[in-house]
Amino acid sequence: MNTRGFIFDIKKYSINDGPGIRTTIFFKGCPLKCWWCHNPESQNKLPEEFEGCTFRWNLSYDPGQKNTIGTEVFSHDVMKEIEKDIPFYEESKGGVTFSGGEPMMQMDFLFELLTKSKKKDIRTAVDTTGFTDYQNFERIYELTDLFLYDLKLMNNEEHLLYTGVPNKIIHENLILLSEKGNKIILRIPVIPKITDTNENLDLMINFISELKNVREIDLLPFHKTAESKYEKMGKENKVVQLEPPTNEQMNNIKYRLSSLGHTVKIGG
Ligand code: SF4
């Protein structure tokens, strides 16, 4: 099979998307619309055109496409890029990470890339919003070494307001996945005044304490590097007033979450 899918970037030598040195494939399409999204170009499933975009990667590079972000690619071509870095994975215990957007929005494409990666003995990770049918987790479970699972807001109304979707299915899937095995790194975006409130952190600590298996918790601080993307894309930036959390604030949150007994890291 040589399935096609839409991606918007391939990042080489990444050290923030799972253990070791990794190649990260960014899928296009996300069911969420988080106010703080650092990759607003991921949200639409199809390629988008806008003036002056920073063109990062395109297998079929063509100067005429310089204002297009996202491209349709064959799994075979993506695998070629992944396999180029096998020596780095071996040395660092790294591998490939499928991120987005939400990779499970393109299930057949994801399934095929995971299958092909496993055939080459490449370690795999899937970075997920959790907003998908649990059957999708079951379909890729054996092919996935690690799930980087986002946990954002425990209050459903707030989750709906700030991400555009309810949180019930995300939390239910996380409970089921944690019962299945020890493959989860939780990723918590620390967004000042939104996800870092005492109430949200307390609810989160209670919820995580009930999960059967969590390998690690990563705290991802809000940053402002996406501002220019919003400007170039003509998209509304709803958190333009927010400032990144200070080191002290991040360390305080780390300290609170450390009470759970899991390894807690700042950054991915
Ligand atoms: S889940 Fe991630 S990619 Fe999707 S909108 Fe939220 S921050 Fe952006």
Side-chain angles (χ1 to χ4, degrees):
M1 289 283 284
N2 194 12
T3 306
R4 285 186 297 187
F6 292 100
I7 64 171
F8 68 91
D9 200 7
I10 291 182
K11 189 159 88 185
K12 300 279 196 158
Y13 318 117
S14 168
I15 52 165
N16 295 315
D17 297 313
I21 295 174
R22 311 193 71 87
T23 299
T24 305
I25 313 296
F26 290 90
F27 283 45
K28 234 175 155 342
C30 188
L32 279 64
K33 302 279 175 288
C34 305
W35 284 25
W36 56 84
C37 183
H38 292 159
N39 289 328
E41 71 274 43
S42 72
Q43 293 176 357
N44 286 348
K45 190 173 172 188
L46 297 175
E48 294 164 271
E49 296 211 1
F50 57 94
E51 284 297 311
C53 78
T54 312
F55 195 88
R56 287 187 280 181
W57 187 86
N58 187 339
L59 280 172
S60 56
Y61 180 72
D62 162 356
Q65 291 185 320
K66 70 180 187 313
N67 290 326
T68 305
I69 194 109
T71 189
E72 190 173 21
V73 289
F74 285 102
S75 67
H76 178 76
D77 293 318
V78 177
M79 284 311 300
K80 273 195 216 159
E81 291 297 317
I82 294 169
E83 286 170 32
K84 278 181 195 168
D85 297 331
I86 285 176
F88 296 103
Y89 311 149
E90 285 172 353
E91 264 178 43
S92 68
K93 295 195 170 27
V96 60
T97 299
F98 299 105
S99 182
E102 170 54 65
M104 281 188 261
M105 276 184 78
Q106 302 185 61
M107 263 313 280
D108 290 342
F109 184 51
L110 175 65
F111 183 80
E112 195 170 303
L113 288 169
L114 285 167
T115 305
K116 288 180 172 176
S117 298
K118 276 287 140 214
K119 277 192 183 144
K120 295 280 176 184
D121 283 330
I122 297 170
R123 293 178 196 84
T124 57
V126 173
D127 183 9
T128 181
T129 63
F131 193 81
T132 187
D133 288 342
Y134 188 68
Q135 289 164 337
N136 289 333
F137 282 105
E138 290 197 318
R139 188 172 168 204
I140 61 169
Y141 189 82
E142 295 304 329
L143 299 167
T144 306
D145 296 311
L146 192 60
F147 290 93
L148 309 177
Y149 202 113
D150 297 354
L151 194 57
K152 299 180 172 88
L153 286 152
M154 301 310 295
N155 177 288
N156 189 49
E157 281 71 39
E158 289 178 11
H159 201 280
L160 197 53
L161 172 67
Y162 289 113
T163 74
V165 300
N167 60 16
K168 190 165 179 271
I169 188 173
I170 295 170
H171 297 170
E172 286 174 352
N173 286 343
L174 180 52
I175 292 166
L176 291 173
L177 196 64
S178 81
E179 285 169 354
K180 212 167 159 66
N182 189 16
K183 293 190 177 186
I184 300 170
I185 291 183
L186 289 176
R187 305 190 111 195
I188 301 171
V190 177
I191 316 300
K193 303 190 182 79
I194 299 178
T195 67
D196 73 345
T197 62
N198 282 330
E199 191 194 0
N200 192 46
L201 292 173
D202 284 344
L203 289 170
M204 222 174 236
I205 288 169
N206 278 342
F207 178 74
I208 297 170
S209 71
E210 298 289 324
L211 295 174
K212 289 273 183 299
N213 291 290
V214 172
R215 206 183 275 191
E216 181 181 302
I217 300 171
D218 292 347
L219 300 173
L220 309 179
F222 170 73
H223 57 74
K224 292 171 85 77
T225 54
E227 269 184 11
S228 64
K229 292 188 194 175
Y230 281 88
E231 275 170 32
K232 285 179 184 170
M233 296 184 79
K235 286 194 176 184
E236 184 190 6
N237 182 351
K238 293 181 176 171
V239 291
V240 73
Q241 309 290 351
L242 286 188
E243 291 301 321
T246 63
N247 288 342
E248 189 186 350
Q249 286 167 328
M250 290 302 298
N251 281 324
N252 285 341
I253 295 171
K254 180 178 173 182
Y255 180 73
R256 282 176 78 165
L257 284 157
S258 297
S259 66
L260 286 159
H262 302 301
T263 302
V264 182
K265 286 187 188 163
I266 296 174

